[in-house]
Amino acid sequence: SEGKDSVTGHWEMMGILTALPFPTYPEGFPADLVATFEARIGMHVLGNRAASGTTIIEELGAEHIATGKPILYTSADSVFQVACHEEVVPLERLYEICRIGREVCAAPYNLERVIARPFIGRPGAFTRTGGRKDYPLTPPPNLVDAVGDVLGIGVVPELFAGRGFRKTHRTTCNAEHSVALRSALKSDARFIFANFEDFDMLYGHRNDPSGFAMAFEAFDGVLAETLAALGPGDLLVLTADHGNDPTTVSTDHAREYVPVCVIGAGVGPLGDTDGMSCIGLTVAGHLGVEFHPGFGRDLLGVMQKP
């Protein structure tokens, strides 16, 4: 696929090829898009530029508290992010604003995601909360639809607009994801699809290799517990949706090799493969689900490209 972001990566895993990259706006969003958004929500916005979320909140948080105007910003990804203080703009109102943003950011802009970014605190001590919510473009048909009743953990259901997923509590950090995964492994779910994003969100984007390493050490415990919980017919796949090297100058995602580790009975060496659709094809083959996206290969050789 073209692109190197969370939606593109997760979609490709489930058999969706993104032939054209989603548009980005490093100089801020077009004036007509912002004007339409402001008219629809009934207020003006602050910001409208590419920025770090924590930085722009520190810069504009006081003015936002004084005026009530939402903070609008983007990043190197195709995202339309709206930040509001929870005591100034209640969460449900922020979500309403972002649902309007999703409608406004459809064609011809085709922004990949609208993201609600609530925060709390006072100037000099603002903190983003766990109330983040993602509103992506509606995905084309994919493996999640074919399987149905998928148990998603973290942001995953939101990346697919919730379609095909069980309704669950939204977890927002690796510690919460770990608890949800422990519970999911005891459930009757055929397919558990989890995203542990702290590596990326807290450390990769902030060029913090030490924090990245500590997060991996913590995840080792989760992995050990998960391996112990696997049954004889279970398959565990560990991978990533894009690169995010914390040791480079850039704080953006990277197009690079990502790890793939498949654990289960009879699994041998995998080697390199092109494209992340191999993940979905491997899952489909293991579950016995007919799924032929037209590209990629099953890593275990159960279901080959037709």
Side-chain angles (χ1 to χ4, degrees):
S1 291
E2 295 294 331
K4 50 185 175 63
D5 51 80
S6 298
V7 172
T8 300
H10 282 80
W11 280 15
E12 184 171 305
M13 288 183 208
M14 297 297 103
I16 300 169
L17 181 66
T18 304
L20 295 174
F22 295 106
T24 57
Y25 295 90
E27 305 303 320
F29 301 110
D32 58 340
L33 171 60
V34 175
T36 301
F37 178 61
E38 290 178 330
R40 289 283 306 275
I41 66 174
M43 63 182 80
H44 292 294
V45 299
L46 304 173
N48 186 27
R49 62 178 184 266
S52 157
T54 52
T55 300
I56 201 167
I57 288 170
E58 288 300 331
E59 292 175 354
L60 299 177
E63 185 177 356
H64 162 70
I65 291 173
T67 64
K69 297 177 181 178
I71 300 171
L72 175 64
Y73 67 103
T74 188
S75 72
D77 292 332
S78 183
V79 290
F80 184 96
Q81 304 188 87
V82 184
C84 291
H85 195 291
E86 290 190 5
E87 295 175 8
V88 176
V89 178
L91 271 180
E92 287 307 316
R93 171 57 177 159
L94 174 58
Y95 295 157
E96 178 187 11
I97 288 171
C98 288
R99 285 192 291 269
I100 292 171
R102 178 65 277 165
E103 295 172 6
V104 170
C105 291
Y109 305 104
N110 281 331
L111 275 149
E112 181 190 73
R113 270 187 293 172
V114 174
I115 306 177
R117 291 286 198 175
F119 64 97
I120 57 174
R122 289 293 176 264
F126 289 126
T127 304
R128 293 199 295 199
T129 71
R132 167 182 170 168
K133 197 164 187 177
D134 291 53
Y135 299 84
L137 288 168
T138 302
N142 60 85
L143 177 61
V144 172
D145 299 313
V147 175
D149 195 30
V150 175
L151 205 165
I153 295 174
V155 73
V156 178
E158 291 178 8
L159 299 180
F160 292 85
R163 196 177 71 224
F165 286 88
R166 293 185 182 185
K167 292 194 178 301
T168 57
H169 171 69
R170 166 71 150 90
T171 52
T172 60
C173 64
N174 282 10
E176 293 181 1
H177 304 330
S178 301
V179 174
L181 179 59
R182 186 179 303 120
S183 175
L185 288 166
K186 298 175 183 177
S187 75
D188 62 352
R190 295 177 68 201
F191 180 22
I192 300 166
F193 197 176
N195 178 295
F196 282 69
E197 80 273 30
D198 284 2
F199 307 105
D200 164 281
M201 184 174 65
L202 299 183
Y203 309 113
H205 285 305
R206 300 180 187 179
N207 287 351
D208 182 358
S210 296
F212 211 103
M214 287 189 293
F216 272 121
E217 288 182 2
F219 185 74
D220 280 346
V222 179
L223 179 57
E225 186 177 346
T226 302
L227 291 172
L230 294 180
D234 292 338
L235 189 75
L236 173 65
V237 181
L238 298 170
T239 189
D241 52 345
H242 51 67
N244 199 177
D245 190 337
T247 66
T248 63
V249 174
S250 171
T251 60
D252 188 17
H253 298 153
R255 289 189 68 89
E256 60 191 2
Y257 284 102
V258 298
V260 179
C261 181
V262 181
I263 301 169
V267 178
L270 302 177
D272 295 341
T273 191
D274 290 329
M276 297 177 180
S277 63
C278 63
I279 304 303
L281 283 162
T282 302
V283 170
H286 179 72
L287 295 178
V289 174
E290 285 296 321
F291 176 64
H292 301 286
F295 66 106
R297 69 182 181 94
D298 177 357
L299 294 175
L300 304 184
V302 178
M303 184 180 295
Q304 297 294 342
K305 177 180 175 181

